[in-house]
Amino acid sequence: MSQSITVSWSTFDARYPEASVQVDKLSNHDLILRCQVGLRPDRAAFAELLRRYQSQVDRVLYHLAPDWPDRADLAQEVWIRVYRNINRLQEPAKFRGWLSRIATNLFYDELRKRKRVVSPLSLDAPRSVDDGEMDWEIAGDTPGPEEELTTREFYEQLREAIADLPEVFRTTIVLREIEGMAYEEIAEITGVSLGTVKSRIARARSRLQAQLQNYLDT
């Protein structure tokens, strides 16, 4: 893991209190533009971007690598890469997708280093699968304690089911259902065709639905 940039992200606001008060009122677009001025990103603006998007990075890595104990190190490496490359982002409006792409690419880099290569699965075999959206929400106006417990159990089972998916399925379903990315964006990030992305998402949904059928029926 590269450590050529040593920073303590949690201390940014404390080190730059006046700038922090100013930048927290800026839009995401303006923060990115401020980070692209000069040879290095403006530290206060970058710290604010990190504050706003850290949970997104944590969420992506949590679902991609649920059993990795060093996700915090991976998250810091993501932000090091963002710091180094933010000047290359030509469309600030696409920062969120770009950030997810960096996190996903880092995960793949680490996966290759650790030689955790899963057995290839055939995604071309014909199979009749409904590619409709899967609704993970459990309806209810004011859930009682029993319903709240059932909901918590369901989402825990959902997290475990996602973690158990083969890597190619887990990545696409995380980017689609959790990150809300378009099929075209996922195809660009993962480097596969649009048809393959749709096939993988459909198959991932089918596996999840089968594993969680008892909860979906209730």
Side-chain angles (χ1 to χ4, degrees):
M1 192 71 63
S2 172
Q3 296 297 331
S4 59
I5 298 180
T6 303
V7 291
S8 178
W9 307 117
S10 62
T11 62
F12 270 10
D13 289 344
R15 291 169 58 190
Y16 299 92
E18 294 182 1
S20 177
V21 172
Q22 298 171 4
V23 297
D24 64 6
K25 293 178 170 50
L26 294 175
S27 67
N28 293 334
H29 183 276
D30 288 339
L31 285 174
I32 294 165
L33 292 181
R34 179 174 289 196
C35 287
Q36 293 178 326
V37 174
L39 296 177
R40 294 184 178 181
D42 177 89
R43 288 190 172 185
F46 189 81
E48 179 64 17
L49 275 178
L50 187 150
R51 185 186 69 81
R52 295 182 188 183
Y53 287 96
Q54 181 65 62
S55 61
Q56 176 185 336
V57 172
D58 292 342
R59 184 173 61 248
V60 170
L61 293 176
Y62 172 80
H63 287 286
L64 291 177
D67 58 340
W68 289 13
D70 58 343
R71 287 199 309 272
D73 294 335
L74 295 181
Q76 177 156 328
E77 180 65 21
V78 169
W79 287 105
I80 289 173
R81 293 187 181 190
V82 172
Y83 186 89
R84 289 172 172 169
N85 296 290
I86 196 167
N87 279 331
R88 300 180 183 180
L89 179 63
Q90 297 181 353
E91 299 181 65
K94 295 184 177 181
F95 177 78
R96 186 173 180 271
W98 181 70
L99 181 60
S100 291
R101 183 180 301 111
I102 289 176
T104 305
N105 288 341
L106 174 63
F107 167 72
Y108 277 129
D109 290 345
E110 287 299 309
L111 194 64
R112 284 189 289 268
K113 289 178 185 177
R114 300 175 193 205
K115 298 181 179 180
R116 293 183 52 184
V117 180
V118 297
S119 300
L121 298 175
S122 173
L123 299 176
D124 299 321
R127 183 179 180 185
S128 177
V129 178
D130 183 4
D131 195 28
E133 298 292 329
M134 179 179 289
D135 185 6
W136 298 115
E137 298 295 330
I138 296 180
D141 295 328
T142 308
E146 183 175 349
E147 290 175 319
E148 289 181 353
L149 177 60
T150 300
T151 301
R152 287 197 300 270
E153 290 177 348
F154 170 75
Y155 280 107
E156 182 60 33
Q157 291 297 318
L158 175 59
R159 284 191 292 269
E160 292 179 4
I162 291 175
D164 288 340
L165 287 172
E167 170 51 35
V168 293
F169 293 166
R170 187 169 72 244
T171 301
T172 50
I173 203 69
V174 167
L175 295 178
R176 175 62 180 173
E177 301 292 2
I178 296 176
E179 288 303 300
M181 300 181 71
Y183 292 117
E184 293 79 8
E185 291 180 287
I186 299 171
E188 183 180 354
I189 289 174
T190 56
V192 299
S193 69
L194 185 61
T196 299
V197 168
K198 291 182 178 180
S199 175
R200 289 178 178 179
I201 290 175
R203 290 167 184 265
R205 287 173 177 160
S206 180
R207 285 172 178 247
L208 292 175
Q209 190 168 16
Q211 191 164 341
L212 299 168
Q213 194 61 53
N214 290 338
Y215 286 93
L216 296 174
D217 288 341
T218 58

